[in-house]
Amino acid sequence: MRVLSFLLFLGFTSLVFAQSDVAYRNKNWNPKAGKYFFSTMLTWSYDNELASEDHYLRKGEFSIYVDEKTGTFLFTKEAYGWSGEMIDFVIADQKGNYIIGHTDEFGKKHRETKKAQQYAEVVSLSKSIMSDFKKYCKSTNKTKVFGKNDYGWPTKTGKEYILSYQKTEDKSNLFLSTEKYSFLPLFLFNKLEFDAKLPIHFDYSLILGTKFMPLEYVYEWNGKKSKLTFISASPTEYFIDLNDYKK
């Protein structure tokens, strides 16, 4: 009876904390008023032997924030630190809008909105992209857990696929999870016409369904390997107030 009571207590406590987290998020999430709050940080590592001599591009980690309820992403120096010197952040929503906050050489803060030109095109091609995915991306029926940790952070279970490229003999290994929101804003980030760039290729917009999350990607060419690996989905608190940036 004591064990049952203890388990019920744990369940109730977890529910209370979950509800308080949601309430805290809702209190701080008000895009119409320029207020943004991000509570999850997604981190990947990369090891790219195909890159140039620049050490930053060859090996390292990068992190991207997300509001999992709306699928809104936040890119900061932790994502594109080697580039975009004057760019403070980029907020990307599920409709392909990118809000860019930057500080000029005089210390003044400004913001502008861009849209990836390819966004609407990729959305219109979604059915054919999924058709090609089923044709060229074959499941091995193997799974792998990513993001293991001692902190109680959530992990991701990925399904393995072998991707065969059209008209070539090249193949890649992929581990993918399916999420509730689209990763297209992330896939197309490096397509934006500005200085900030992710340190490794992350454009799977014409290969994967938009709600696939790449957990691992291994590609070999001429004896050199490029590898991307998901590390963690860690809880965090990151606030953005657009009112600090002149439109």
Side-chain angles (χ1 to χ4, degrees), residues 27-44:
K27 177 183 176 182
N28 291 284
W29 180 264
N30 189 0
K32 290 183 178 180
K35 307 285 188 177
Y36 289 82
F37 171 70
F38 299 88
S39 59
T40 300
M41 182 171 69
L42 306 175
T43 302
W44 288 264

Side-chain angles (χ1 to χ4, degrees), residues 88 101-104 107-111 244-247:
D88 299 333
H102 58 89
T103 304
D104 64 23
K108 294 183 178 180
K109 297 180 181 295
H110 306 272
R111 75 177 192 265
D244 295 335
Y245 291 77
K246 187 177 180 180
K247 197 170 183 179

Side-chain angles (χ1 to χ4, degrees), residues 47-234:
D47 192 346
N48 187 11
E49 297 174 354
L50 301 172
S52 64
E53 296 301 317
D54 192 321
H55 176 72
Y56 183 83
L57 296 176
R58 290 180 66 87
K59 191 172 185 177
E61 296 181 3
F62 66 94
S63 298
I64 296 162
Y65 298 87
V66 65
D67 172 57
E68 295 188 302
K69 185 174 181 179
T70 62
T72 303
F73 291 96
L74 170 67
F75 303 83
T76 67
K77 295 290 185 183
E78 293 165 285
Y80 54 82
W82 65 283
S83 60
E85 182 179 354
M86 294 184 177
I87 297 175
D88 299 333
F89 63 83
V90 180
I91 296 173
D93 66 20
Q94 290 284 291
K95 295 181 180 180
N97 300 305
Y98 295 81
I99 302 172
I100 303 157
H102 58 89
T103 304
D104 64 23
E105 63 270 29
F106 303 107
K108 294 183 178 180
K109 297 180 181 295
H110 306 272
R111 75 177 192 265
E112 60 179 318
T113 300
K114 289 180 178 285
K115 192 150 191 170
Q117 295 180 356
Q118 300 86 346
Y119 203 94
E121 180 183 356
V122 173
V123 172
S124 68
L125 294 173
S126 58
K127 289 184 178 180
S128 62
I129 291 171
M130 280 306 299
S131 177
D132 285 345
F133 172 80
K134 293 175 182 178
K135 184 177 180 180
Y136 296 105
C137 219
K138 301 299 182 182
S139 172
T140 66
N141 295 318
K142 294 181 180 178
T143 60
K144 183 178 177 181
V145 177
F146 293 82
K148 292 181 180 178
N149 59 84
D150 298 324
Y151 310 108
W153 300 345
T155 57
K156 303 281 186 182
T157 299
K159 295 181 180 179
E160 186 182 39
Y161 296 86
I162 303 297
L163 172 62
S164 301
Y165 294 92
Q166 302 179 43
K167 300 180 181 180
T168 72
E169 295 182 357
D170 292 343
K171 294 184 178 181
S172 298
N173 284 69
L174 282 166
F175 278 92
L176 306 171
S177 67
T178 303
E179 304 298 326
K180 296 179 181 178
Y181 49 88
S182 170
F183 274 73
L184 192 53
L186 174 52
F187 294 162
L188 295 181
F189 182 82
N190 279 11
K191 297 289 188 182
L192 293 174
E193 296 179 355
F194 66 162
D195 295 335
K197 302 294 179 185
L198 300 179
I200 192 170
H201 174 83
F202 211 112
D203 183 5
Y204 304 96
S205 58
L206 298 177
I207 299 174
L208 306 178
T210 60
K211 292 188 177 180
F212 279 126
M213 177 179 177
L215 298 176
E216 188 168 271
Y217 171 80
V218 181
Y219 173 71
E220 288 191 47
W221 186 73
N222 281 349
K224 292 186 177 182
K225 183 184 294 185
S226 177
K227 185 176 182 180
L228 176 78
T229 306
F230 179 72
I231 295 178
S232 64
S234 55

